[in-house]
Amino acid sequence: MFLESKSDRNQQIGWIEVICGSMFSGKTEELIRRINRAIFAKQKVEIFKPAIDTRYDEEDVVSHNENAIHSTPINNSSEILLLASNVQVVGIDEVQFFDNGIVNVCNTLANNGVRVIVAGLDMDYLGQPFGPMPQLLATAEYVTKVHAICPKCGNLAQYSHRTIHSDKLVMLGEQSSYEPLCRHCYNLVRAEEQKNKE
Ligand code: ZN
C-alpha cells in the first residue's frame, strides 16, 4: 500500500504519482483514498476529470463502490493549470482520456511543488498502451499498478476485455461491456475472436 513520505513543510517539493491498471482494478478507489488522506492532513486539494467521463455524475469522481469526491470536469488539459493555483495536491481521474498536453501539465505542477496524483487505464481494450499513459508512467516518481481479478480463473487481471463488438476506442458508461481478464484468458479469448472473424 502506498504511504505518503513525510516531507519538510517549509520546503514544498512536488512529485507525480500514477495509479494504473485495468477496469475494475480499484484505481479510482485508491485515488480517493489518497485524496481523503491529504484532506485529513488539511492540505488544499483540487480534483479534475475529463468532461467526457459523465458516467455517473457531472461533478463527482465516482468509483464502482460509490465512494464519491467532488471534482471539476474539464475539456482540455491546459485548463488544469489555470484552475489549480494555490493548491498542494492535484488529483486527476481517468487521465488516459486527456490530450498529450497532460504530461506537461503534470510535470509543470510537480515542478512548482504540487503533489500530483493521477489514475488511469494503462491499456485500451486491445491491450495497447493508452494515450498519454506511457509518458506519465515514465516521468512519475511513484507508480502503482493495481489489478482486478480474472472471473474465469481467479488470477490477477490486467486486461480490459470488451465483451461486445465495437471498434470505437472510447466507450463510456458501459461497464457491463467489459470484463477484466488475466494474460492467459485474454489471449485465449482474443484468439477465439480472431477465429470467428475469419
Ligand atoms: Zn484468467
Side-chain angles (χ1 to χ4, degrees):
M1 184 183 287
F2 183 90
L3 287 175
E4 304 80 357
S5 59
K6 211 170 149 215
S7 59
D8 184 350
R9 296 234 169 180
N10 297 320
Q11 193 194 8
Q12 211 189 334
I13 296 174
W15 65 85
I16 300 173
E17 299 164 29
V18 177
I19 304 160
C20 67
S22 68
M23 292 178 75
F24 311 106
S25 62
K27 297 181 300 295
T28 302
E29 286 89 342
E30 177 61 13
L31 174 66
I32 290 172
R33 188 185 74 84
R34 293 186 196 182
I35 292 292
N36 277 332
R37 288 165 66 86
I39 292 170
F40 293 147
K42 300 195 168 39
Q43 296 184 313
K44 278 174 120 180
V45 172
E46 279 291 342
I47 304 150
F48 302 98
K49 66 173 186 178
I52 182 179
D53 180 22
T54 52
R55 274 181 300 192
Y56 303 93
D57 189 287
E58 280 294 326
E59 290 265 303
D60 290 337
V61 169
V62 182
S63 66
H64 303 297
N65 70 7
E66 290 173 6
N67 262 322
I69 203 158
H70 178 80
S71 75
T72 307
I74 54 167
N75 289 304
N76 193 295
S77 62
S78 59
E79 293 170 46
I80 294 176
L81 290 178
L82 299 172
L83 295 168
S85 56
N86 264 327
V87 300
Q88 290 155 298
V89 181
V90 165
I92 307 173
D93 196 27
E94 300 289 353
V95 71
Q96 78 278 354
F97 289 132
F98 280 104
D99 52 287
N100 275 322
I102 194 73
V103 181
N104 257 329
V105 167
C106 289
N107 277 284
T108 301
L109 288 167
N111 293 346
N112 291 332
V114 177
R115 175 186 177 194
V116 184
I117 316 170
V118 304
L121 284 170
D122 45 12
M123 289 187 276
D124 62 23
Y125 75 103
L126 294 172
Q128 296 301 310
F130 209 130
M133 292 304 284
Q135 279 86 352
L136 285 169
L137 287 161
T139 52
E141 274 86 347
Y142 305 103
V143 172
T144 304
K145 183 149 177 161
V146 286
H147 296 87
I149 298 295
C150 176
K152 293 189 191 295
C153 72
N155 282 317
L156 290 179
Q158 64 168 347
Y159 294 99
S160 308
H161 173 245
R162 184 176 284 171
T163 53
I164 57 152
H165 181 71
S166 167
D167 289 330
K168 260 174 71 184
L169 187 59
V170 177
M171 283 178 65
L172 286 165
E174 310 260 340
Q175 301 301 310
S176 58
S177 313
Y178 294 89
E179 63 179 351
L181 291 178
C182 73
R183 181 181 295 274
H184 177 71
C185 295
Y186 180 77
N187 286 339
L188 287 178
V189 165
R190 292 288 297 162
E192 190 66 28
E193 285 173 355
Q194 286 308 106
K195 226 169 74 186
N196 291 340
K197 255 190 193 173
E198 284 158 15

